[in-house]
């Protein structure tokens, strides 16, 4: 047993000595395949000892025993094996396409119609019809409609970070300024009719006395 321990200790010392002067001859880890990189977390003094760590996120490695993983870059996405990147599959209807031209024309016409409606609404602001429509809530819908139209125009624009942020922002503005007034006005109408029905029932009850 003593001889075996001494032999193992001598072999370990020889390995360390060889690793110091001829590191290519000592290897205690398997090769890291493409899609992985070498991590020297458990190297314990031996040059060629490492852990193979799979690339994470949008990173890849395309060579054996890579020291690090590379970023795929903008508009590119790593494959499942994490050995290469490819262009992100997109289907764009840009402004210079037929579909984009149709969207642009419809948005322009809609802007004209909504603008004309807003002018008329403000002109007849104190009229009975406008006041009966719940003008304070209805006026909030116009910015929401303009935001929705601007959102449609952004969808047909070349994609970049600013356009994506604009689409997200305008869609939220549209939902807040259009849907919430509609819900509130609907609730008010229900309350009015409910109150009117109750008042009618009470009037008929009093007349019966």
């Amino acid at each position: 047993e003593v001889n075996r321990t001494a032999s193992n200790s001598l072999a370990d010392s020889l390995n360390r000595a060889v690793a110091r002067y001829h590191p290519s001859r000592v290897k205690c880890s398997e090769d890291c395949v493409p899609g992985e990189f070498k991590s020297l977390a458990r190297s314990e003094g031996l040059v060629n000892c490492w852990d193979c760590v799979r690339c994470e996120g949008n990173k890849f490695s395309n060579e054996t025993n890579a020291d690090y993983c590379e970023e795929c870059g903008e508009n590119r996405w790593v494959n499942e094996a994490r050995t290469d990147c490819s262009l992100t599959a997109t289907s764009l209807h840009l402004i210079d396409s037929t579909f984009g031209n149709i969207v642009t024309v419809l948005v322009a016409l809609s802007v004209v119609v909504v603008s004309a409606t807003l002018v008329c609404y403000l002109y007849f602001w104190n009229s009975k019809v406008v006041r009966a429509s719940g003008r304070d809530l209805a006026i909030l819908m116009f910015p929401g409609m303009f935001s929705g139209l601007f959102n449609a125009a952004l969808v047909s624009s070349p994609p970049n970070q600013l356009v994506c942020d604009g689409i997200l922002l305008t869609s939220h503005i549209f939902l807040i300024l259009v849907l919430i007034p509609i819900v509130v006005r609907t609730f008010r109408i229900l309350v009015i009719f409910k109150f009117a029905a109750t008042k009618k029932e009470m009037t008929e009850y009093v007349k019966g006395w």
Side-chain angles (χ1 to χ4, degrees):
E1 183 66 28
V2 174
N3 291 336
R4 181 179 301 176
T5 303
S7 177
N8 290 340
S9 177
L10 178 61
D12 184 63
S13 298
L14 289 175
N15 282 338
R16 292 180 181 274
V18 173
R20 179 176 300 176
Y21 297 103
H22 300 284
S24 61
R25 296 183 182 180
V26 177
K27 182 178 179 181
C28 57
S29 298
E30 296 294 330
D31 289 332
C32 294
V33 299
E36 301 175 339
F37 72 97
K38 295 191 301 183
S39 174
L40 304 180
R42 62 181 182 92
S43 60
E44 297 183 1
L46 294 178
V47 177
N48 285 3
C49 289
W50 57 78
D51 288 323
C52 294
V53 181
R54 181 174 173 81
C55 296
E56 297 181 352
N58 197 28
K59 297 181 179 181
F60 75 101
S61 66
N62 55 5
E63 59 183 24
T64 303
N65 292 332
D67 293 323
Y68 58 90
C69 297
E70 301 180 27
E71 286 281 354
C72 283
E74 188 176 0
N75 296 328
R76 300 178 67 87
W77 191 252
V78 67
N79 59 10
E80 185 175 356
R82 301 190 177 276
T83 58
D84 195 10
C85 299
S86 58
L87 287 173
T88 305
T90 55
S91 178
L92 303 177
H93 299 293
L94 301 181
I95 294 177
D96 55 354
S97 66
T98 302
F99 184 83
N101 292 331
I102 295 175
V103 171
T104 303
V105 171
L106 292 176
V107 168
L109 292 175
S110 300
V111 168
V112 173
V113 172
V114 174
S115 299
T117 305
L118 177 60
V119 171
C120 293
Y121 201 81
L122 293 176
Y123 183 79
F124 296 101
W125 180 256
N126 292 318
S127 65
K128 294 181 179 180
V129 175
V130 174
R131 283 186 295 176
S133 66
R135 59 185 181 180
D136 296 332
L137 281 175
I139 196 66
L140 294 177
M141 298 176 64
F142 286 98
M145 287 186 282
F146 282 117
S147 178
L149 294 174
F150 187 57
N151 179 277
L154 288 176
V155 170
S156 299
S157 302
N160 55 52
Q161 187 61 45
L162 183 61
V163 170
C164 292
D165 292 340
I167 291 174
L168 183 63
L169 177 63
T170 53
S171 61
H172 282 76
I173 294 175
F174 171 78
L175 292 174
I176 293 173
L177 295 183
V178 173
L179 294 185
I180 290 181
I182 290 176
V183 173
V184 174
R185 292 177 67 188
T186 302
F187 178 75
R188 288 174 60 179
I189 292 172
L190 290 175
V191 171
I192 291 172
F193 277 97
K194 181 66 176 178
F195 177 76
T198 303
K199 185 177 180 180
K200 182 179 179 181
E201 291 175 358
M202 292 180 62
T203 302
E204 292 178 354
Y205 178 76
V206 172
K207 286 182 179 179
W209 278 86

